[in-house]
Amino acid sequence: MPGSVFLEGAAAHLRGQLDGDTFHALTVQHAFRYVLDVYHRLPGGESAVEFFQLQRGRRRSLVLTDALLGLTPDQRTQLAAEVEARWTLVEHAWSQRTGALIRSPTYDDATGELVLVPWRHQTRVPLTPLRPALSGYQKGHCFYCYAPIDTTSGAACHVDHVFPWVLGYRLQNTDLNAVWNLVLACTDCNSGKGGKLPAQRFVERLHRRNSYLIDSHHPLRAALIQDTGATPKARWAFLTSLETFALDNRPHRWNGRPEHAPVF
């Protein structure tokens, strides 16, 4: 929440003005105070469908509604996978005592653990464990062509870097492995795009996606703001500056494939 005690404390901790033990105590007391209040908040207003209701007063409780029973089996499976993926991100951030959500989540095949990779040490690593955390916005469709994809299948659903990963070695302070640059793509789009920068309409689509997640109070909201900017204007300036840099280094663009009807 803007101006909250927790976020102000997190900022102070990152600046070195608040020690770890004090920030830990502040997190326990304040970090989750507003989670349930904003759960149904979407860009443009509150959702018309409520999956739970908060009963306040002396005996506070949370009551699940019948809307939860209306989810299809596929939606329930997707929800469980997304919850698990988001919780893994949060737990790892705590274990690293970063005071902020993960900026560069990657997966270590040897240990089976999610790990942090600083921008200066970027390596090509599998990002498939992040599929569930990225899937909610795309509604089971490819970011580029809107074709339906099976988000549980590594063979059919790829985590793609919108700004090509290969540019990372030429950048000094921008992590292309961070969530702001990751989307889900079908096999045809992923292989067709390769290491090219996509057409500008896809950069605009990425900007809308990131702003949507921020406005929806997505669990990765803080990381997205930290990486790309606090306002839509700042986020667009960030992307267009990267676009200029990318074109200077890799001038060939990928124009995409024939697109299905938009679903997000």
Side-chain angles (χ1 to χ4, degrees):
M1 299 292 289
S4 73
V5 173
F6 169 68
L7 291 183
E8 291 171 0
H13 179 59
L14 291 174
R15 292 193 299 266
Q17 299 170 340
L18 195 68
D19 65 81
D21 290 338
T22 303
F23 179 63
H24 179 271
L26 183 147
T27 300
V28 171
Q29 184 176 0
H30 296 285
F32 305 103
R33 175 171 296 180
Y34 303 107
V35 171
L36 295 178
D37 292 312
V38 301
Y39 184 88
H40 294 109
R41 184 178 301 170
L42 302 174
E46 296 285 332
S47 170
V49 178
E50 291 187 344
F51 294 106
F52 62 82
Q53 294 177 345
L54 288 174
Q55 305 294 321
R56 303 186 185 276
R58 294 184 62 185
R59 298 184 62 182
R60 299 187 65 185
S61 60
L62 184 147
V63 180
L64 301 181
T65 69
D66 290 342
L68 195 62
L69 300 176
L71 295 177
T72 67
D74 286 345
Q75 288 173 325
R76 290 197 292 270
T77 300
Q78 183 88 4
L79 177 62
E82 185 168 346
V83 168
E84 182 63 26
R86 292 184 180 193
W87 185 246
T88 298
L89 290 173
V90 173
E91 281 189 323
H92 187 75
W94 286 342
S95 72
Q96 295 293 315
R97 299 180 68 86
T98 61
L101 288 174
I102 290 175
R103 292 166 52 85
S104 314
T106 57
Y107 195 71
D108 187 333
D109 284 331
T111 65
E113 295 180 347
L114 213 61
V115 297
L116 286 174
V117 178
W119 67 267
R120 61 185 179 278
H121 296 145
Q122 288 188 67
T123 55
R124 192 78 175 187
V125 293
L127 294 170
T128 51
L130 296 179
R131 286 197 307 260
L134 295 169
S135 65
Y137 175 77
Q138 294 181 214
K139 303 177 182 178
H141 292 75
C142 174
F143 179 82
Y144 299 107
C145 72
Y146 297 114
I149 51 177
D150 180 1
T151 57
T152 65
S153 170
C157 178
H158 303 265
V159 179
D160 181 63
H161 299 78
V162 178
F163 285 86
W165 170 85
V166 70
L167 291 170
Y169 290 109
R170 298 181 176 91
L171 293 167
Q172 294 299 307
N173 296 296
T174 301
D175 184 2
L176 297 180
N177 278 328
V179 174
W180 69 267
N181 189 45
L182 302 177
V183 299
L184 301 183
C186 68
T187 299
D188 289 339
C189 285
N190 186 62
S191 59
K193 174 178 172 289
K196 299 183 181 71
L197 177 71
Q200 189 177 55
R201 71 180 185 277
F202 298 120
V203 177
E204 294 170 351
R205 194 174 297 171
L206 178 66
H207 172 61
R208 292 197 301 271
R209 192 286 303 266
N210 288 340
S211 291
Y212 178 91
L213 295 180
I214 289 171
D215 293 341
S216 299
H217 292 265
H218 188 280
L220 296 175
R221 180 177 189 268
L224 288 166
I225 289 175
Q226 183 173 334
D227 285 335
T228 62
T231 67
K233 183 178 180 179
R235 292 192 286 274
W236 180 242
F238 167 76
L239 292 179
T240 53
S241 66
L242 276 182
E243 185 178 30
T244 300
F245 173 85
L247 290 174
D248 287 343
N249 287 272
R250 302 181 70 83
H252 300 293
R253 301 192 79 146
W254 177 69
N255 196 43
R257 301 170 57 244
E259 297 181 12
H260 296 253
V263 293
F264 52 84

